[in-house]
Amino acid sequence: MKRSAAEIVREYGPFEGVKAVHGVSYDGTHVWFASGDKLNAVDPASGEIARSIDVAAHAGTAFDGRHLFQIAEDRIQKIDAATGKVLTSIPAPGGGGDSGLAWAEGSLWVGQYRERKIHQIDPATGKVLRTIESNRFVTGVTWVDGELWHGTWEGDDSDVRRIDPDTGRVLEQLDLPAGTMVSGLESDGGDRLFCGGGDRGNVRAVRRPRRTAPR
Amino acid sequence: MESLITAAARALEAGDPLGALNRVALRNDAPSLALRGIAMAQLGDLAKAKVLLRNAARAFGPREAVARARCVVAEAEIALVSRDLSWPVKTLAAARATLEKHGDLANAAHAGHIEARRLLLLGRADEAERTLAEIGTSPLLPASQVVRELVIAGIAIRRLRTKDARAALDRAARAARQAKIPALSAEVDSANLVLDTPTARLIARGSEHPLLLGEVEKLATSAALVVDTFHHSVRKQDVVVSLGTRPVLFALARILAQAWPADVSREALIAGPFQAKNADESHRARLRVEIGRLRTQLKPLADISATKQGFVLAPRKTRDVLVLARPVEEKHADVLALLSDGEPWSSSALALALGTSARTVQRSLEELARSNKVQSFGQGRARRWMTPPVPGFPTGLLLPGPILKT
């Protein structure tokens, strides 16, 4: 396992009126983050909030190319990113103990915080397809280039880690400075990982290290 | 953080404890227990809240130090509000240190305020002031600011510094409006009331009128001889003769002061403090002894001269004798008078000071407690009694707001 300090390349926020960041996503243009009763789109160049959708947003956020998925209470709502309308909702696998959310390969991936699990679910029905065990509280989840990353927060330590999707084994770990929380995770498809900053109300961009060998 | 926990915490923050309970009522994981505890506290079930918070603190893992510390702070606040002052202070101090170390300054300040409120409740104003000073200069949340200013006002009132108290209450009112918590605004209003409601009665030369706290404050610099029924003392400026443990002497001094410049008959002096209807020779003998003792005590301030029918007070170097009395004098006034010094008293100490039996004092206290004129904390031998405190700390709960954020 490779372990190193996370390299924070940029910080967005804290934003006015935002008490906490509960989930993070990226639609190719904007970084979205969940702030309780809103989904906010941040322009990563200017760092300003470009747009907001009024919707319950209590934990993870994901984007499938057209829709935003947002955990609210014990459900996952599917939201039309263009209009902000809630289209459908499915039960969340953790029954409200859910935290992170990611979209990849036709599935939703849901972190179950205190259970230290990541569920792969059918986005149409919410049916659990399989479950990966982690050994830390799972905050955010993301896929990039076939790599499964998740954020952790336990005790006073937070890190983002790449795990083996089959075994849950930690392959790589980037430690955030002590007391810095990761409350949501999303890759930009390149070398940046956006990390929600919890009750600091900000979002950090952390550099994703280049792999030395393919997985 | 988890979805439902976030939703429940937001409901709590919005003042909807039932909404919070709806979301986590059936869950027993640590954050849910903590949320349920706070919701129960806000709903007034302090006993249940305490158990839930204690269980939550235990359920958080050993590495979740901050979450644990927040539970401890919440439990301490519940203890304070329910006047359980025997609650372990060291645990709160440790929790406060943990929060500080991990950068949760808002909750660390909250913990400090609880400490200061407790000290003020115990009448330890100097220590309360020191604790407030430690909390540091980082900007406080409006709700915390209100508490801080209320404690400052309470300390100022204890020390009879009306101007300081008023200034602190003005700041508290502003912060309460910012915090948008109606209960806090009400708390500040009721504290203000203390400054604008007569807190005492001045009796001089046969007439009396009500006094505001500010006017009471001025008496400290007045050249008059003041018989102070609040502190059971006779004083003139800096010279204070405390008769707190000599109730008979104090009662005599008061009767003499109230009649001044006239004298008081032996019969009247015996009927008052000795509570004897018909004065006989033994009462007269006792009166002579007690007047002798009072004379010795008051030496720096006044003499007591015998007259044809009784005694008269002869103050030194002043032309004024005032009696400072409670606005309404009532049954058990003697107990109240002792308690109004703001110190916690054991019933046995009260009995000693009043020269009555512990059972009599106990009965008075229980009666006064039923009409909310006194309150107690602690159990058994450690039980202490005091009058409802000066405004200085909210009676309601604030509890660590962001307890479950991370």
Side-chain angles (χ1 to χ4, degrees):
Chain A
M1 194 259 282
K2 282 198 302 186
R3 185 169 177 176
S4 55
E7 187 192 338
I8 297 171
V9 290
R10 178 149 183 201
E11 278 196 41
Y12 302 98
F15 304 95
E16 207 185 316
V18 172
K19 282 189 180 161
V21 171
H22 303 295
V24 180
S25 194
Y26 183 68
D27 66 7
T29 314
H30 290 120
V31 180
W32 288 86
F33 72 87
S35 65
D37 52 4
K38 271 191 178 69
L39 266 169
N40 310 277
V42 177
D43 175 354
S46 70
E48 301 290 321
I49 292 182
R51 194 186 145 204
S52 290
I53 300 175
D54 288 332
V55 64
H58 301 134
T61 313
F63 182 72
D64 71 354
R66 263 185 66 201
H67 308 104
L68 288 160
F69 291 87
Q70 176 59 51
I71 303 177
E73 307 222 350
D74 57 355
R75 301 192 69 79
I76 300 171
Q77 297 190 319
K78 185 175 175 182
I79 300 155
D80 186 326
T83 63
K85 238 192 212 141
V86 175
L87 304 173
T88 54
S89 84
I90 53 172
D98 310 88
S99 49
L101 191 64
W103 169 271
E105 296 163 43
S107 294
L108 279 172
W109 302 76
V110 191
Q112 194 178 352
Y113 184 66
R114 296 187 81 84
E115 301 300 315
R116 304 179 173 92
K117 284 176 183 161
I118 298 168
H119 303 286
Q120 179 187 2
I121 65 167
D122 180 334
T125 62
K127 185 175 169 239
V128 177
L129 305 175
R130 70 172 169 131
T131 297
I132 303 163
E133 307 262 349
S134 173
N135 57 2
R136 301 290 294 278
F137 291 168
V138 178
T139 57
V141 187
T142 194
W143 279 90
V144 54
D145 291 347
E147 299 174 359
L148 176 59
W149 288 79
H150 80 82
T152 74
W153 170 263
E154 204 164 326
D156 306 315
D157 305 318
S158 230
D159 59 63
V160 290
R161 50 179 61 184
R162 177 161 65 91
I163 62 172
D164 184 321
D166 297 319
T167 62
R169 194 164 65 88
V170 183
L171 305 174
E172 188 166 0
Q173 178 176 331
L174 310 178
D175 294 315
L176 277 105
T180 308
M181 184 193 189
V182 177
S183 66
L185 185 69
E186 184 72 284
S187 146
D188 70 346
D191 63 355
R192 278 181 304 177
L193 292 164
F194 296 114
C195 308
D199 59 5
R200 300 287 159 92
N202 60 5
V203 176
R204 297 182 178 84
V206 168
R207 186 180 306 283
R208 177 169 68 105
R210 209 160 291 157
R211 273 176 300 146
T212 47
R215 190 180 64 84
Chain B
M1 185 38 86
E2 307 173 53
S3 181
L4 263 188
I5 296 294
T6 305
R10 291 179 58 87
L12 262 188
E13 248 171 63
D16 177 16
L18 290 173
L21 281 177
N22 276 343
R23 291 171 170 96
V24 292
L26 298 175
R27 291 177 45 167
N28 285 314
D29 54 290
S32 296
L33 288 170
L35 268 169
R36 283 166 57 193
I38 291 180
M40 291 316 283
Q42 290 184 356
L43 292 171
D45 190 343
L46 299 185
K48 180 146 238 173
K50 209 165 119 177
V51 173
L52 285 164
L53 282 163
R54 187 161 294 177
N55 290 343
R58 236 178 264 138
F60 277 116
R63 300 184 55 211
E64 296 173 273
V66 173
R68 267 167 188 256
R70 289 174 185 163
C71 288
V72 168
V73 173
E75 199 191 330
E77 185 167 19
I78 289 170
L80 178 72
V81 171
S82 44
R83 297 296 175 263
D84 169 18
L85 300 190
S86 58
W87 197 85
V89 186
K90 275 187 192 152
T91 316
L92 178 61
R96 187 176 154 201
T98 301
L99 293 169
E100 249 160 38
K101 198 177 117 207
H102 292 101
D104 184 355
L105 298 181
N107 282 315
H110 189 72
H113 287 141
I114 293 170
E115 276 181 42
R117 283 157 70 185
R118 180 180 166 278
L119 289 166
L120 186 62
L121 179 62
L122 291 172
R124 284 147 67 178
D126 292 345
E127 286 166 74
E129 198 169 41
R130 273 201 295 280
T131 303
L132 279 188
E134 284 166 21
I135 292 172
T137 50
S138 64
L140 294 171
L141 294 172
S144 280
Q145 191 67 37
V146 178
V147 178
R148 182 188 184 82
E149 297 298 348
L150 281 173
V151 176
I152 291 173
I155 294 169
I157 288 172
R158 276 269 149 76
R159 293 180 178 157
L160 279 179
R161 291 202 308 250
T162 324
K163 228 173 95 186
D164 295 351
R166 220 176 265 286
L169 288 176
D170 285 348
R171 293 193 297 269
R174 270 200 301 279
R177 276 196 298 275
Q178 252 178 295
K180 294 197 184 100
I181 301 176
L184 275 182
S185 290
E187 202 79 46
V188 177
D189 288 347
S190 73
N192 258 312
L193 223 57
V194 172
L195 293 180
D196 298 328
T197 310
T199 50
R201 216 158 31 109
L202 187 72
I203 308 168
R205 294 176 190 258
S207 75
E208 52 179 79
H209 67 272
L211 283 189
L212 296 176
L213 191 72
E215 297 169 307
V216 175
E217 181 181 1
K218 282 186 203 125
L219 288 183
T221 52
S222 113
L225 182 76
V226 179
V227 174
D228 181 342
T229 71
F230 287 85
H231 299 94
H232 273 209
S233 68
V234 182
R235 59 188 161 93
K236 194 178 85 180
Q237 288 162 356
D238 293 339
V239 186
V240 180
V241 172
S242 174
L243 296 173
T245 54
R246 314 288 292 269
V248 171
L249 298 192
F250 183 76
L252 289 172
R254 180 180 173 173
I255 293 172
L256 289 168
Q258 246 168 258
W260 187 87
D263 63 347
V264 185
S265 73
R266 286 182 182 79
E267 288 68 31
L269 285 170
I270 289 167
F274 304 164
Q275 284 164 6
K277 273 191 194 124
N278 302 305
D280 60 22
E281 203 39 55
S282 74
H283 286 121
R284 287 170 183 275
R286 186 172 165 210
L287 178 63
R288 273 195 302 280
V289 172
E290 299 289 5
I291 288 287
R293 286 175 177 158
L294 182 60
R295 197 177 270 140
T296 313
Q297 291 284 324
L298 291 187
K299 207 153 214 170
L301 295 168
D303 193 11
I304 299 166
S305 318
T307 62
K308 209 164 170 185
Q309 53 153 353
F311 295 94
V312 67
L313 196 63
R316 299 186 209 285
K317 290 184 197 160
T318 180
R319 317 184 120 259
D320 251 327
V321 174
L322 312 172
V323 174
L324 186 62
R326 308 184 140 267
V328 181
E329 289 189 83
E330 54 191 323
K331 219 175 150 192
H332 311 306
D334 49 352
V335 175
L336 283 174
L338 289 183
L339 289 174
S340 65
D341 67 353
E343 298 288 335
W345 289 73
S346 66
S347 58
S348 55
L350 287 169
L352 197 71
L354 295 170
T356 55
S357 75
R359 272 202 64 81
T360 307
V361 170
Q362 201 62 42
R363 270 197 297 274
S364 304
L365 288 169
E366 277 158 17
E367 203 171 304
L368 287 166
R370 275 196 292 279
S371 48
N372 290 323
K373 287 179 179 133
V374 300
Q375 58 194 17
S376 69
F377 57 87
Q379 294 299 327
R381 289 172 65 88
R383 190 167 208 191
R384 294 292 180 271
W385 296 84
M386 56 199 307
T387 46
V390 292
F393 57 97
T395 45
L397 288 153
L398 288 170
L399 302 169
I403 187 167
L404 299 152
K405 285 272 176 65
T406 57

